[in-house]
Amino acid sequence: MTRVPRGYIAWRRRTKMRSFASNFRGAHLRLNRMITQQVKRAFVSSHRDRGRQKRDFRRLWITRINAATRIYKVFDSYSKLIHNLYKKKLILNRKMLAQVAVSNPNNLYTISNKIKIIN
């Protein structure tokens, strides 16, 4: 009986998984079952960590803005700065505010002078 070459679709699927695992080491690179497990795990981690990365950067920006407002005595706290920004309808996102606070505190003063509310 002649040998039948089988599994073109399965071979293609395994090749695709192998291409995702090209930077893995050891058995995670060589064994098909291990490759599929590790690739699935990597995809789960990357999906989860995309959301976590956004969360972590937002926390970093808020911390930087809060530190700058307290050090340079712009406002008493971060929350008061953001509150007054919204009251004056001055739309600046936290990323840009953090960049201004770190690189050029004088601009932070000018922003605060625009939004200071005198009762």
Side-chain angles (χ1 to χ4, degrees):
M1 204 164 171
T2 58
R3 180 184 172 276
V4 179
R6 299 276 314 259
Y8 171 71
I9 294 170
W11 172 77
R12 198 168 58 181
R13 186 184 68 239
R14 289 187 197 110
T15 306
K16 186 178 178 182
M17 281 297 205
R18 198 174 286 271
S19 72
F20 287 128
S22 62
N23 292 328
F24 295 172
R25 294 173 61 188
H28 297 173
L29 173 66
R30 290 177 183 82
L31 305 177
N32 283 323
R33 187 181 296 174
M34 193 73 82
I35 286 172
T36 55
Q37 289 172 357
Q38 292 303 314
V39 167
K40 284 179 185 175
R41 185 174 179 178
F43 283 152
V44 166
S45 296
S46 68
H47 179 73
R48 180 195 61 227
D49 291 338
R50 274 195 293 275
R52 186 170 289 172
Q53 184 184 32
K54 291 177 182 73
R55 200 177 317 143
D56 289 343
F57 269 109
R58 185 182 166 95
R59 284 179 62 191
L60 175 69
W61 298 329
I62 289 171
T63 306
R64 283 181 176 172
I65 295 166
N66 192 20
T69 53
R70 288 171 191 266
I71 289 171
Y72 301 120
K73 309 257 190 288
V74 177
F75 274 97
D76 294 337
S77 66
Y78 162 82
S79 60
K80 289 182 181 175
L81 173 69
I82 294 296
H83 177 71
N84 289 334
L85 275 172
Y86 277 104
K87 260 189 170 175
K88 287 289 187 174
K89 295 185 174 67
L90 187 64
I91 308 298
L92 282 173
N93 63 7
R94 286 157 182 82
K95 182 179 180 181
M96 298 309 296
L97 270 175
Q99 217 167 9
V100 166
V102 169
S103 63
N104 197 349
N106 293 333
N107 288 348
L108 195 63
Y109 277 120
T110 58
I111 291 169
S112 69
N113 289 337
K114 294 276 184 194
I115 63 170
K116 283 210 175 158
I117 299 167
I118 300 167
N119 292 331

